[in-house]
């Protein structure tokens, strides 16, 4: 799911859960102490639901995580002057510079995830994302894709996350094309950070839903959280999955951000092997304990496509995947198939080998 960063704002305050993506069950016991707020931050509507706590505590926790979101929004915004921009300016020089603690965890964790994904998830390709125009909030002004020559020149010296070297308290870039763009990952990390913060307040049952990508802890008034998965080719929900305990559900889709040129659609998930939008997948949904990992994995498996996704999922430690291929085929591993309930007529499912 994409991260773009307009100014944070508090949008609505209602007491009962009405999200389209967190589905209600058939029998509706009356919710007790249900706190529900929505804010616009990190380019998306973020819905926070807290169950079974006093309203004052829920309000206090909510205010605290608003500060978190604000901080992450300002620090990780890809194209305004902030810690990330400073790092990007310095990485291209090849010189050593002091590392920024606010970005370090993102870099370290994405180095691991990028390697596991065989470079399909590659936050070092910020320059390529910019060439396509997907760094912008508003895609309306993009009129055509970049020149193929420009793309090939970039690919001839493709930067990777291992082009960042560390020594003591400094770091340096070893590829002149490297620019970090955490659009495929930062929202997940933000959801993890804020869920951990809610836990510090003693909150046991909550969900943070950032535009359909979410992490849920505990349960929803004694029932599992029921999460809807959007249909990539039609309005509404396609399937549902129940989560309880502590799990994240993230989806990457070709319908999320795109522009059209000469009657052709170009979406925002770029295959670092070709320099073009990945063309084998409509959407991928991943369930994993950590939202950051789920976010990175959904992007990587989208690019991997219907043949390669089990290998990459295995390497990234992912246990539940559903991939809708470009031709509409529905792929899953057996453990995911046990959890998914279709809300439309059940399609034929192509099962992978179990993910260990
Ligand atoms: P997501 O919606 O989580 O799949 O993230 C898509 C966003 O991540 C895009 O808008 C880009 O900013 C960025 N992105 C695109 N392709 C890649 C890639 N191969 N690796 C890492 N980030 C990417
Ligand atoms: Mg992602």
């Amino acid at each position: 799911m994409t991260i773009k960063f307009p100014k944070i704002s508090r949008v609505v305050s209602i007491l009962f859960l009405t999200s389209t993506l967190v589905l209600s069950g058939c029998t509706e016991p009356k919710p007790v102490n249900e706190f529900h707020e929505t804010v616009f931050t990190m380019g998306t509507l973020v819905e926070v639901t807290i169950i079974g706590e006093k309203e004052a505590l829920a309000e206090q926790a909510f205010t605290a995580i608003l500060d978190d979101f604000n901080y992450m929004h300002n620090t990780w915004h890809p194209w305004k002057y902030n810690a990330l921009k400073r790092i990007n300016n310095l990485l291209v020089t090849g010189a050593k510079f002091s590392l920024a603690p606010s970005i370090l965890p993102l870099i370290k964790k994405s180095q691991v995830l990028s390697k596991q994904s065989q470079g399909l998830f590659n936050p070092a390709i910020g320059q390529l994302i910019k060439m396509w125009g997907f760094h912008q909030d508003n895609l309306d002004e993009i009129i055509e894709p970049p020149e193929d020559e420009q793309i090939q020149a970039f690919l001839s010296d493709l930067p990777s996350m291992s082009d960042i070297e560390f020594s003591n308290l400094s770091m340096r870039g070893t590829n002149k094309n490297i620019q970090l763009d955490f659009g495929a990952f930062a929202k997940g990390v933000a959801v993890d950070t804020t869920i951990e913060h809610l836990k510090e307040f003693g909150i046991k049952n909550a969900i943070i839903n950032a535009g359909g990508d979410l992490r849920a802890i505990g349960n929803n008034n004694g029932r599992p959280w029921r999460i809807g998965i959007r249909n990539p080719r039609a309005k509404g929900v396609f399937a549902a999955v129940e989560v309880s305990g502590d799990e994240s559900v993230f989806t990457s889709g070709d319908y999320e951000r795109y522009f059209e040129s000469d009657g052709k659609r170009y979406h925002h998930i770029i295959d670092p092997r070709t320099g073009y939008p990945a063309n084998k997948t409509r959407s991928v949904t991943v369930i994993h304990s950590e939202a950051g990992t789920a976010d990175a994995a959904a992007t990587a498996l989208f690019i991997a496509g219907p043949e390669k996704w089990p290998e990459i999922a295995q390497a990234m430690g992912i246990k539940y995947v559903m991939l809708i291929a470009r031709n509409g085929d529905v792929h899953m591993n057996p453990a995911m198939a046990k959890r998914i309930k279709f809300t439309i007529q059940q399609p034929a499912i192509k099962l992978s080998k179990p993910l260990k």
Side-chain angles (χ1 to χ4, degrees):
M1 182 73 186
T2 296
I3 184 168
K4 294 291 159 204
F5 305 82
K7 201 171 178 310
I8 195 163
S9 67
R10 194 157 160 173
V11 181
V12 286
S13 170
I14 48 175
L15 270 174
F16 298 104
L17 191 64
T18 53
S19 164
T20 48
L21 276 154
V22 181
L23 307 171
S24 342
C26 306
T27 49
E28 276 297 310
K30 199 169 183 295
V32 183
N33 291 341
E34 189 166 306
F35 175 93
H36 186 64
E37 286 270 7
T38 305
V39 292
F40 191 76
T41 181
M42 304 186 98
T44 192
L45 279 179
V46 178
E47 302 177 42
V48 179
T49 303
I50 298 170
I51 305 283
E53 301 293 344
K54 295 219 163 70
E55 180 133 18
L57 177 76
E59 184 70 51
Q60 197 190 353
F62 176 72
T63 306
I65 65 170
L66 268 191
D67 282 350
D68 294 340
F69 274 121
N70 225 346
Y71 174 79
M72 293 183 276
H73 161 87
N74 287 326
T75 315
W76 300 342
H77 190 293
W79 308 105
K80 67 180 183 184
Y81 197 81
N82 57 13
L84 182 58
K85 182 80 177 167
R86 169 186 164 259
I87 284 194
N88 275 337
N89 289 344
L90 291 165
L91 279 173
V92 287
T93 67
K96 270 189 179 182
F97 60 92
S98 62
L99 38 87
S102 54
I103 313 288
L104 196 60
L106 282 184
I107 297 177
K108 289 279 189 186
K109 181 79 188 178
S110 57
Q111 280 186 323
V112 175
L113 292 165
S114 186
K115 195 167 178 201
Q116 290 170 338
S117 77
Q118 298 178 12
L120 299 183
F121 163 66
N122 183 356
I125 61 168
Q127 228 181 74
L128 183 61
I129 311 280
K130 192 176 180 191
M131 256 180 235
W132 279 95
F134 290 120
H135 63 298
Q136 304 168 76
D137 293 339
N138 182 0
L139 305 183
D140 295 346
E141 282 156 27
I142 309 178
I143 42 172
E144 54 188 13
E147 294 292 334
D148 185 58
E149 223 171 76
Q150 203 189 355
I151 293 174
Q152 299 312 325
F154 179 82
L155 294 183
S156 69
D157 196 5
L158 179 71
S160 77
M161 288 307 289
S162 55
D163 290 321
I164 304 177
E165 275 181 11
F166 293 93
S167 60
N168 298 325
L169 289 176
S170 62
M171 59 192 277
R172 65 185 281 263
T174 58
N175 181 309
K176 64 178 177 1
N177 288 335
I178 191 166
Q179 290 286 280
L180 299 175
D181 177 318
F182 290 110
F185 181 49
K187 192 168 74 176
V189 177
V191 169
D192 282 333
T193 306
T194 46
I195 281 283
E196 293 305 332
H197 205 166
L198 289 186
K199 287 184 188 171
E200 285 166 24
F201 276 89
I203 290 166
K204 297 201 170 44
N205 305 299
I207 187 160
I208 297 184
N209 179 353
D213 293 326
L214 53 91
R215 180 163 165 182
I217 56 171
N219 58 61
N220 183 9
N221 272 317
R223 288 169 288 138
W225 299 99
R226 195 154 171 261
I227 312 300
I229 298 167
R230 194 182 142 167
N231 188 330
R233 287 294 178 271
K235 275 204 170 135
V237 173
F238 169 74
V241 67
E242 290 188 345
V243 302
S244 56
D246 187 352
E247 281 188 307
S248 309
V249 185
F250 271 66
T251 298
S252 279
D254 65 359
Y255 50 84
E256 282 167 352
R257 303 188 77 233
Y258 58 86
F259 65 90
E260 280 171 31
S261 171
D262 271 342
K264 209 171 162 217
R265 221 184 224 228
Y266 299 92
H267 68 77
H268 67 144
I269 304 171
I270 309 293
D271 186 337
R273 299 166 300 187
T274 64
Y276 284 80
N279 61 7
K280 295 181 172 163
T281 312
R282 293 180 184 176
S283 72
V284 170
T285 300
V286 166
I287 308 177
H288 187 74
S289 52
E290 280 181 11
T293 303
D295 196 355
T299 307
L301 300 181
F302 183 102
I303 299 165
E307 288 93 35
K308 203 174 165 67
W309 71 263
E311 178 192 341
I312 303 293
Q314 187 90 35
M316 297 184 88
I318 304 297
K319 301 277 188 289
Y320 302 99
V321 180
M322 173 169 72
L323 179 146
I324 319 293
R326 189 171 67 167
N327 64 4
D329 283 352
V330 180
H331 299 252
M332 282 183 223
N333 62 307
M336 183 65 143
K338 281 194 187 139
R339 294 184 66 171
I340 288 272
K341 304 268 178 298
F342 284 92
T343 50
I344 56 166
Q345 198 190 354
Q346 163 126 9
I349 294 171
K350 296 191 179 283
L351 278 187
S352 71
K353 289 200 179 120
L355 297 171
K356 282 179 245 127

